[in-house]
Amino acid sequence: MSSTASTQTGQKAQSLTLVEAIQDGLYTEMSQDDTVVVLGEDVGKNGGVFRATDQLYEEFGEDRVIDTPLAEAGIIGASIGLAQTGMKPVPEMQFMGFMYPAFDQIVSHAARLRSRSQGQYSVPMVIRAPYGGGIRAPEHHSESKEAFFVHEPGLKVVSPSTPYDAKGLLAASIHDPDPVIFLEPKLIYRAFREDVPTKPYEVSLNEAAVRREGSDISVYTWGAMTRPALIAAENLSQSHGIDVEVIDLRTLSPLDIETITESFKKTGRAAIVHEAPKTGGLGAEIATTIQEEALVHQEAPIKRIAGFDAPMPLHSLEDYYLPQAVRIQDGIRETVDF
Amino acid sequence: MNMKNEAGSKDVPATVREDSDLVQVLDAEGNVLPQASVPDISDRRLLELYETIKLARHFDQRAISFQRQGRLATYAPMTGQEGSQVATSLALAEQDWLFPTYREHAAKYAHGMDLTSLFEPLRGYREGYAIPDDVNVMPEYIPIATQVPQAMGMAWGHKLQGKTDTAVLCHLGDGATSEGDFHEGLNFAGVFDVPAVFVCNNNQWAISVPRERQTASETIAEKAQAYGIDGVRVDGLDPLAVYKVASEALEKARNPGPGELRPTLIESVQYRFGAHTTADDPSVYRDESEEEVWRDRDPVDRIETYLYNEGILDSDLESEIQDRIEQEVSEAIETAEQTETSPDNIVEHVYEDVPARLEEQRDELNRLREKYDDGAFSEVLE
């Protein structure tokens, strides 16, 4: 498994995958705060179908790592009730594609209990859901529908792209007083390792990360698409001398509009990369925000490189559906050459 | 054909069943039934039960009238259901929690909400949704059955933290039993054996669709068996029977005896005398004769007769109570009509802190209000 090492600052760190960092984040938060409970299908003895809750059951017991009946609305509804008693539930939706039965509980209640009660009641909970394609999964297991939740006032939506961020964003989400939809890009659950501090820390829910600085075009992305975007940027830098800035949004709601806008003011060009269907996706929101905030800096049409307006195909075609480096490179070149 | 629906005489609608499993204390007139077990309630508490039911009836009539006058928006009447609402709330201990639907105005009032706050949302002011710190009431639930898993979750949370002196009482309608959330909530309640009482106010109609179209099971209470929890049917127009059944279920939730289950599903058999809401016309979908049969069992008349029989109520006290009720409801609507608000309320309480973008949206609105005056915002767009 992971090995312990020291970071540059001398703090202890482990080399973890993204899913191990989430497990470590849950362990860290549950150790510090007795009110944090994990519940869902297969999260207990089985440790989660992706092992995200591995060992937690053994460590914290069946009253804090709770295997529930198979019922998404029941899990979220029960979590809303648990939150009213001072507990901090972290329910797991096994796959985002199975989240829809709980949609009513999330948007009609979790998102609105604070406003409906004029601030008397809140729902501090973190709904974890593995999302996205690329793992050769069956139908309904590859959904990327973050826009549904970004559209709902009262929710925050987070998606990490690195192990370090996964642990820090999860901590910030658990500490947040509002309900957070925590979307885990399962394509990169085990794609690479990174040093993750063993101590508790937070990554702010208000800040996008500049993953690569550049001056010719800003590429906005999140989750699993951050890696192909960075590969495309490197390829173009070497092959065509195009200097690409890559922004990883990290928090999808609320958006870090300042970082988005500042980058565009510098480059004057933008491409948005997401695996969700193009129409009504978050790319449209980002493009319009840029238009509202920084139109006079614009040098070229804003490009969206996205999934198709079609159900995610089975795996024989999913490489064509997901924005891969080749599509991202082509889109960037088209924008820069405009 | 469903044979069950063919049973009974032609004069008695299918929704009225005279059956042995129905808990009753009072007969249709309000006399104590032979062999009935009258709950142990003080005279003072009985008068409180009576006055609150009478207030609920008056509140309902006035609210419908105010709606017709354009002083309130769409309102969900409760006439016929007040006895069950008030009796279940008075059975609650102060620390117990109440999950109401959009029709439990009286249940909310009886568990501590003030009347003005009930009128304010109907006047368009969200301020009325504010719930005082010391009142254990959740906001009304409008999407059907969604409160069921949440009430279960709260009861579960109390149990996990060893706080079983607190029970949770959750209202739902007969239509709610058709929803998936009903199943998920009750299934969880059974699996985790939580201190919760679910009261199905079976008023026979889910807007225009009758109870027999919601479920082919003979009773709603019997559904409890499938979840491994207790099920009880009670005459919902008999406030003493409802009080008895609810008190026992709440006590069991808090402190079950050996081998007893904590959760209970109570089917409170009643009737919605009026419309589903003021936007609905029941004459389109149901026969008035059906209503007459239920009218003969009116909870207000029954509790009144009982109190007269017991010598607890007389005509002087009755008119004193009536005067007090009328004054209280008048004052509440007058106060609600004086409520003021600001568009700033739109952005408040969405998150703990107002996000920057939402602040900008509010500032933009305020800039336009300054520029054009508030009157301009009510002009019809053409």
Side-chain angles (χ1 to χ4, degrees):
Chain A
M1 269 240 338
S2 57
S3 59
T4 303
S6 289
T7 59
Q8 290 165 337
T9 51
Q11 283 154 352
K12 282 202 169 171
Q14 295 172 291
S15 179
L16 300 181
T17 63
L18 194 143
V19 73
E20 287 168 355
I22 286 164
Q23 191 272 357
D24 186 45
L26 288 170
Y27 179 89
T28 304
E29 295 306 313
M30 292 182 81
S31 303
Q32 289 188 305
D33 181 352
D34 287 346
T35 67
V36 178
V37 292
V38 166
L39 66 159
E41 297 154 21
D42 306 307
V43 299
K45 279 190 178 171
N46 192 38
V49 293
F50 289 103
R51 321 301 303 157
T53 55
D54 195 26
Q55 298 299 313
L56 298 181
Y57 179 87
E58 288 76 3
E59 183 68 27
F60 299 105
E62 63 178 7
D63 283 350
R64 293 189 64 199
V65 187
I66 306 164
D67 278 325
T68 66
L70 198 164
E72 287 77 9
I75 293 166
I76 300 303
S79 297
I80 294 169
L82 288 170
Q84 301 318 302
T85 70
M87 296 172 80
K88 281 188 189 160
V90 186
E92 177 180 294
M93 300 278 94
Q94 204 159 68
F95 287 87
M96 191 184 204
F98 300 144
M99 209 166 166
Y100 309 136
F103 193 72
D104 188 27
Q105 288 291 343
I106 296 169
V107 302
S108 299
H109 298 292
R112 298 173 68 145
L113 196 50
R114 181 187 292 283
S115 59
R116 185 176 298 130
S117 67
Q118 292 286 280
Q120 177 73 349
Y121 308 132
S122 60
V123 187
M125 79 171 164
V126 182
I127 303 173
R128 294 182 38 248
Y131 86 108
I135 63 158
R136 308 290 189 249
E139 199 186 355
H140 302 294
H141 288 67
S142 302
E143 316 294 295
S144 178
K145 297 293 173 59
E146 57 273 27
F148 289 163
F149 300 107
V150 170
H151 195 57
E152 185 60 41
L155 299 175
K156 294 181 180 176
V157 183
V158 173
S159 179
S161 74
T162 69
Y164 180 91
D165 276 6
K167 181 174 176 180
L169 287 168
L170 182 62
S173 299
I174 290 173
H175 303 159
D176 199 274
D178 289 302
V180 178
I181 311 290
F182 194 84
L183 300 175
E184 300 169 5
K186 59 183 177 287
L187 173 64
I188 55 169
Y189 259 159
R190 293 182 172 80
F192 58 97
R193 289 181 180 275
E194 183 180 43
D195 275 356
V196 174
T198 52
K199 62 157 195 162
Y201 64 94
E202 277 192 25
V203 171
S204 164
L205 300 188
N206 304 315
E207 290 170 31
V210 182
R211 295 292 180 204
R212 185 186 194 280
E213 291 201 22
S215 55
D216 292 330
I217 183 170
S218 304
V219 172
Y220 303 97
T221 191
W222 57 91
M225 293 300 103
T226 309
R227 294 191 84 213
L230 285 166
I231 292 166
E234 212 49 49
N235 288 348
L236 288 173
S237 165
Q238 285 171 19
S239 59
H240 292 78
I242 299 173
D243 194 14
V244 182
E245 180 145 305
V246 178
I247 310 283
D248 172 9
L249 296 178
R250 299 199 285 200
T251 298
L252 310 182
S253 177
L255 281 171
D256 177 359
I257 290 169
E258 193 179 337
T259 301
I260 292 170
T261 308
E262 286 311 306
S263 176
F264 186 77
K265 284 178 181 170
K266 183 170 73 175
T267 63
R269 297 179 188 86
I272 303 128
V273 181
H274 62 63
E275 58 180 289
K278 185 172 182 177
T279 298
L282 205 49
E285 181 59 41
I286 293 161
T288 309
T289 298
I290 292 167
Q291 299 268 318
E292 283 182 339
E293 303 289 330
L295 180 68
V296 295
H297 299 270
Q298 188 166 342
E299 306 276 358
I302 298 169
K303 183 78 182 171
R304 284 179 288 169
I305 303 155
F308 288 61
D309 292 341
M312 170 72 88
L314 293 181
H315 68 78
S316 71
L317 293 175
E318 77 181 333
D319 288 351
Y320 294 100
Y321 180 97
L322 294 170
Q324 307 286 6
V326 62
R327 273 177 66 196
I328 299 170
Q329 282 165 223
D330 193 72
I332 290 172
R333 284 190 58 196
E334 187 186 315
T335 307
V336 171
D337 293 344
F338 176 76
Chain B
M1 278 291 280
N2 186 341
M3 294 302 286
K4 287 174 207 156
N5 292 342
E6 289 178 24
S9 79
K10 279 184 180 169
D11 298 335
V12 181
T15 51
V16 181
R17 290 163 33 109
E18 292 294 352
D19 39 15
S20 56
D21 64 349
L22 194 69
V23 178
Q24 288 181 307
V25 172
L26 302 175
D27 69 12
E29 279 75 46
N31 304 303
V32 176
L33 286 158
Q35 276 123 33
S37 147
V38 181
D40 183 23
I41 320 175
S42 68
D43 290 358
R44 189 190 57 76
R45 197 76 170 148
L46 278 168
L47 281 171
E48 188 185 349
L49 179 68
Y50 168 69
E51 179 162 345
T52 313
I53 292 171
K54 287 275 277 188
L55 181 141
R57 177 64 55 91
H58 182 69
F59 177 97
D60 204 52
Q61 290 165 344
R62 297 304 292 151
I64 294 165
S65 163
F66 294 143
Q67 194 278 333
R68 301 289 181 237
Q69 296 164 34
R71 292 162 74 183
L72 295 180
T74 306
Y75 169 75
M78 59 184 164
T79 291
Q81 304 187 217
E82 313 94 326
S84 185
Q85 287 195 22
V86 175
T88 46
S89 275
L90 292 190
L92 293 169
E94 199 182 342
Q95 78 273 10
D96 291 341
W97 278 83
L98 173 71
F99 281 68
T101 76
Y102 47 81
R103 205 184 298 286
E104 271 75 41
H105 320 290
K108 287 200 281 189
Y109 170 74
H111 199 45
M113 293 296 287
D114 71 48
L115 285 181
T116 304
S117 73
L118 301 183
F119 279 126
E120 279 171 335
L122 299 165
R123 296 270 311 151
Y125 296 106
R126 268 201 331 194
E127 283 78 353
Y129 283 149
I131 293 160
D133 283 340
D134 57 350
V135 175
N136 288 352
V137 173
M138 292 298 284
E140 65 185 15
Y141 283 77
I142 293 177
I144 303 300
T146 51
Q147 70 278 16
V148 177
Q150 295 183 31
M152 174 275 154
M154 180 188 275
W156 190 21
H158 289 149
K159 186 187 174 192
L160 285 169
Q161 295 172 84
K163 205 179 143 197
T164 50
D165 64 328
T166 302
V168 174
L169 186 138
C170 174
H171 286 275
L172 55 134
D174 37 307
T177 67
S178 306
E179 292 269 11
D181 278 12
F182 170 82
H183 165 70
E184 297 190 22
L186 262 64
N187 190 48
F188 273 57
V191 168
F192 297 109
D193 196 40
V194 302
V197 176
F198 303 94
V199 178
C200 177
N201 299 295
N202 173 10
N203 70 11
Q204 315 301 334
W205 293 92
I207 307 189
S208 67
V209 180
R211 210 275 320 174
E212 302 87 76
R213 269 279 165 124
Q214 298 302 331
T215 175
S217 69
E218 204 165 334
T219 70
I220 287 168
E222 75 190 45
K223 291 174 185 290
Q225 199 184 349
Y227 300 111
I229 69 175
D230 285 326
V232 186
R233 287 184 88 229
V234 63
D235 180 346
L237 288 83
D238 176 349
L240 292 184
V242 174
Y243 182 88
K244 178 181 152 63
V245 164
S247 301
E248 287 169 1
L250 287 161
E251 180 49 32
K252 181 168 67 72
R254 284 187 286 258
N255 189 22
E260 279 192 325
L261 303 163
R262 287 185 183 278
T264 305
L265 171 64
I266 297 173
E267 177 184 357
S268 178
V269 182
Q270 48 196 271
Y271 194 76
R272 164 171 45 85
F273 289 138
H276 164 67
T277 70
T278 48
D280 165 53
D281 173 11
S283 71
V284 173
Y285 53 80
R286 71 186 189 190
D287 193 338
E288 270 179 42
S289 66
E290 175 179 296
E291 186 187 327
E292 284 164 21
V293 175
W294 291 93
R295 281 275 182 197
D296 289 342
R297 301 145 187 246
D298 191 305
V300 178
D301 299 341
R302 282 163 86 178
I303 188 73
E304 204 162 83
T305 300
Y306 173 76
L307 292 177
Y308 268 99
N309 286 347
E310 295 292 310
I312 297 167
L313 185 68
D314 57 32
S315 57
D316 286 350
L317 184 53
E318 188 191 337
S319 53
E320 183 192 315
I321 287 171
Q322 187 61 29
D323 290 347
R324 192 157 59 222
I325 285 167
E326 288 177 16
Q327 192 181 341
E328 215 178 316
V329 172
S330 295
E331 281 173 11
I333 186 77
E334 280 162 26
T335 309
E337 288 184 322
Q338 285 155 18
T339 306
E340 288 184 4
T341 191
S342 146
D344 285 352
N345 186 268
I346 294 170
V347 306
E348 276 161 23
H349 308 306
V350 180
Y351 298 90
E352 183 163 279
D353 300 316
V354 183
R357 201 172 210 188
L358 189 50
E359 255 177 16
E360 281 168 23
Q361 292 165 9
R362 176 199 57 200
D363 293 346
E364 172 70 1
L365 176 62
N366 284 334
R367 187 182 69 74
L368 292 170
R369 290 174 67 207
E370 189 94 355
K371 190 171 172 185
Y372 296 106
D373 292 334
D374 283 342
F377 290 85
S378 348
E379 279 174 19
V380 176
L381 299 170
E382 284 177 347

